[in-house]
Amino acid sequence: MKIMKRLNEVMINNIFKTPPLGAVEPTGFLRKQLELQKSGITGHMEEYPDYGPNSGWLGGDGESWERGPYYVRGLTALAYALKDTELIKKAEKWLVWAVDSQREDGNFGPLAMEKEWWAKMPMLMAVKDWYEAENFALRYEHSEKILNFFEKYFSFQLKNLPSNPLDSWARARGGDNVYVVLWYYDEIKRVKGEEKIWLRDLAELLISQTEDWPEIFENTKVRHHVVNTTQAMKTPYLKYRLTGDKKYKEALKAGFENISKDHGRIDKLPNADEAARDNLPYRGTESCAVVEGMLSMEICGEISGESYLYDILESYCYNSLPNVFTYDLRLHTYYQMQNEVMAVQGYHGFDCDHGDSSAFGAPCGFDCCFSNSHMGFPKFVQNMWGETEKGIVLLCYGPNNVELTKGGKKLRFRQETEYPFKNKVKLVYEGEEAFFSLMLRIPEWEYKYCISEEGKKTGDYITIERTFKPGDEITIKFDSKIEVREWHNNGRYVKKGVLLYCLPIKEDYRVVEHNQFREIKYDSHQDGPCVEIFPMSRWNYALYSGGFEYEENENLPEQPFSPKDPPCFIKAKGQIMKSWKIWGNNGDVFDREGVEENAAEAEGIILIPYGSSRLKISVFPKVTEKSRRRDVKPFSIKAETAFECVQVDFPRIEGAGSYTIHYGKESGKYNFSLCGVEVNRYKGGGHMFSREKYAFTFPGQGRIYIKMDAVSNGKIIAESEEIYVDMT
């Protein structure tokens, strides 16, 4: 069979090698998250029908698509990260079945998925992790069988992909398959000295059938299904590895920028529920997107070593991931919002509104996130360190121990830290006396840093190369500033170091005894009921721009991702915005003009880490000076109706670079789409390029208000009166 001409005769080697599961052992609060998973969401999953003995991935006639592989991938990571024999035995049951299910032609898995490519990709990742973890533990019982399994399956793919190409989910997520193929190429070369060029041919065939994500990230607004998008973040780097062309790495950077402008979030995830939406902070992002984004950053970092990837990875882990679960990691949510004023069943205006997507349950929403989200913490622990040719590299900070063998010597560090809540890290060497290089990543957010030992700085890494002896210590201190950053719709948010901060809302938990709102109708498990969270404190604060004070609690609580005893906090000043209220089941769009400063109404408020409260406000309107409107000039607008549309005519204002339009029903603002013009990405208020006419679609009847601002360099230079039209 003729394969297309290879993209590049010389394939790029990975900068770092990810340690096998088990080499990095979590301690402190990170270990607590994994232990809570064992007693919580992961430990109970096999009590549900899709993960019981009737699963297609155990030979039954039940669910045979992605849920089993998702579960096994996270279970395997958790089992070996904790070195937990009970969980390892659970995982092996599934992994052995998957490998033993391989047919003579090389295909494997449930017969119902005979021609399906996607569902097998996460299982390939789980089997890869199993192989590495068992070898690290010096247990080689399955090693040769697993290598033969990959050999036969990849040969099957090479033969069958031309006539049965990737499509649908597999076409979007083909990078996952490519990653395991290239891992196998490297592993066979390492253990057997064989360079199997046909594996590179397979990788390039898979890439050719995968969606052109570098083009999408570079030249579009990346308005795709959110999990496809976050899984695809690894694809440009895999193409870079195959070609050596740096433009593919740049494509992902452009993608982050395009997503941020169009439908981004302050945690650098897409705002998408499930399709890409807009920048409104009450829109959600899917829990699968968080963990798939983390995995993509881990794989991209392994390939290139770029520091910014690990900044994003830490942000996803320490800000976004805790919000996937309740504080005991027993229940999960399908969507999380930046401004989440209530987590309840019912309609939220999501693109895919499953009835209970905002509440917490086991499961809730569509069931993919139930089985997929639990890989987040254990895979993060695995990727906190990396191997280099000359030694090891510390990539992500947090409490753990690492143990690797280099040059026949056992290297072991204990990382003592309360990072990210405190920015001091102590490394204690506990391995054999050995000469090697230790690389330390310097986060991009750091204001200044101090390392107790001098090293060579190269880019964003410090390298210390010397003979290490047991008991040697290295101390790292980072300094960070409180940053108040501007955001869409004239909002602002607060950040310090890797942590985002939020106003916590006092939470009232209520168990739901029915499933009448749930799209997928089956009863909750007795240990995993659907839970709604209602607000019990005021939340509609605008934020002053100054007067911040940072404080840390002396002792880190066992579970820092909770509002009960936050590990650090920021004292700030806020003022109630009376017009900002709950609309439907969401906190509505706030008035982008903010609220005028009134000293009599100013209040002290406390901001805590974003991951430490499930109900929160993290994108705030502004408190502005009364003089802000002093030079604003008036202008007139007109509006007329025609078949569910309102056409707005407005004059050109000299000096205006863009216009902001406010619109809604008289009873409150409403989320409308635009008709007949380029879609405004700031629905409900935002900048639009200057045009003479706009038409808005308003289904149904009612009285509509419209108001416009002319904007120059971010400042309002002219504003219209508020006018009303009646839709009949």
Side-chain angles (χ1 to χ4, degrees), residues 294-351:
M294 291 175 66
L295 184 60
S296 287
M297 294 306 100
E298 290 158 1
I299 290 172
C300 293
E302 180 183 2
I303 293 170
S304 75
E306 291 167 286
S307 180
Y308 91 94
L309 298 165
Y310 294 102
D311 283 331
I312 295 173
L313 173 59
E314 286 190 350
S315 176
Y316 287 172
C317 182
Y318 292 136
N319 291 310
S320 313
L321 182 58
N323 292 284
V324 169
F325 308 104
T326 46
Y327 305 118
D328 59 2
L329 278 82
R330 181 65 189 88
L331 309 176
H332 82 107
T333 189
Y334 193 66
Y335 296 134
Q336 59 174 271
M337 287 85 89
Q338 298 160 103
N339 286 356
E340 188 151 7
V341 301
M342 54 198 302
V344 297
Q345 294 196 48
Y347 182 74
H348 287 72
F350 299 135
D351 170 69

Side-chain angles (χ1 to χ4, degrees), residues 677-695:
V677 295
E678 179 182 350
V679 173
N680 170 23
R681 61 177 177 258
Y682 307 103
K683 298 186 179 100
H687 299 301
M688 296 190 298
F689 293 110
S690 178
R691 293 175 183 265
E692 290 187 351
K693 294 182 179 180
Y694 288 96

Side-chain angles (χ1 to χ4, degrees), residues 4 117 121 154 157-158 161 166 170-171 174-182 199-211 235 242:
M4 64 185 202
W117 298 112
M121 295 181 192
F154 292 148
Q157 285 199 300
L158 188 63
L161 279 166
L166 304 181
R171 178 172 174 80
D176 289 36
N177 203 148
V178 174
Y179 170 68
V180 183
V181 170
L182 294 181
L199 288 167
R200 289 171 56 185
D201 293 335
L202 173 58
E204 296 194 8
L205 178 59
L206 286 161
I207 279 286
S208 72
Q209 293 184 3
T210 299
E211 201 78 57
T235 305
L242 286 168

Side-chain angles (χ1 to χ4, degrees), residues 498-605:
V498 71
L499 292 179
L500 300 165
Y501 282 79
C502 71
L503 173 74
I505 303 171
K506 187 176 180 181
E507 299 169 345
D508 176 23
Y509 284 72
R510 304 179 191 177
V511 175
V512 179
E513 301 292 350
H514 60 80
N515 64 3
Q516 67 185 62
F517 293 110
R518 181 172 167 77
E519 180 182 69
I520 305 169
K521 303 291 187 186
Y522 57 76
D523 293 334
S524 296
H525 189 278
Q526 61 180 1
D527 293 324
C530 182
V531 170
E532 295 181 311
I533 313 176
F534 289 84
M536 293 291 288
S537 61
R538 293 190 301 173
W539 52 266
N540 50 336
Y541 284 91
L543 187 67
Y544 282 77
S545 60
F548 298 98
E549 297 179 21
Y550 174 75
E551 293 189 20
E552 294 175 350
N553 284 328
E554 184 177 351
N555 298 314
L556 188 73
E558 189 178 39
Q559 170 55 299
F561 299 117
S562 163
K564 184 177 179 181
D565 187 19
C568 50
F569 55 92
I570 294 174
K571 293 180 179 179
K573 191 165 68 170
Q575 187 172 310
I576 289 291
M577 176 180 278
K578 297 175 183 177
S579 62
W580 190 20
K581 301 177 180 179
I582 290 176
W583 178 73
N585 289 318
N586 298 313
D588 197 7
V589 182
F590 52 72
D591 186 343
R592 69 180 309 276
E593 291 184 4
V595 60
E596 289 188 357
E597 179 181 340
N598 184 337
E601 296 181 359
E603 299 180 40
I605 57 175

Side-chain angles (χ1 to χ4, degrees), residues 24 31 78 82-83 122 182 211 255 273 280 314 324 355 370 425 445 452 542 582 599 604 637 641 643 695 710 712:
V24 186
R31 186 171 189 86
L78 180 65
L82 287 175
K83 296 183 173 67
L182 294 181
E211 201 78 57
D273 48 37
L280 296 175
E314 286 190 350
V324 169
F370 179 48
V425 177
W445 53 258
S452 61
I582 290 176
I637 60 174
T641 62
F643 188 64
S712 175

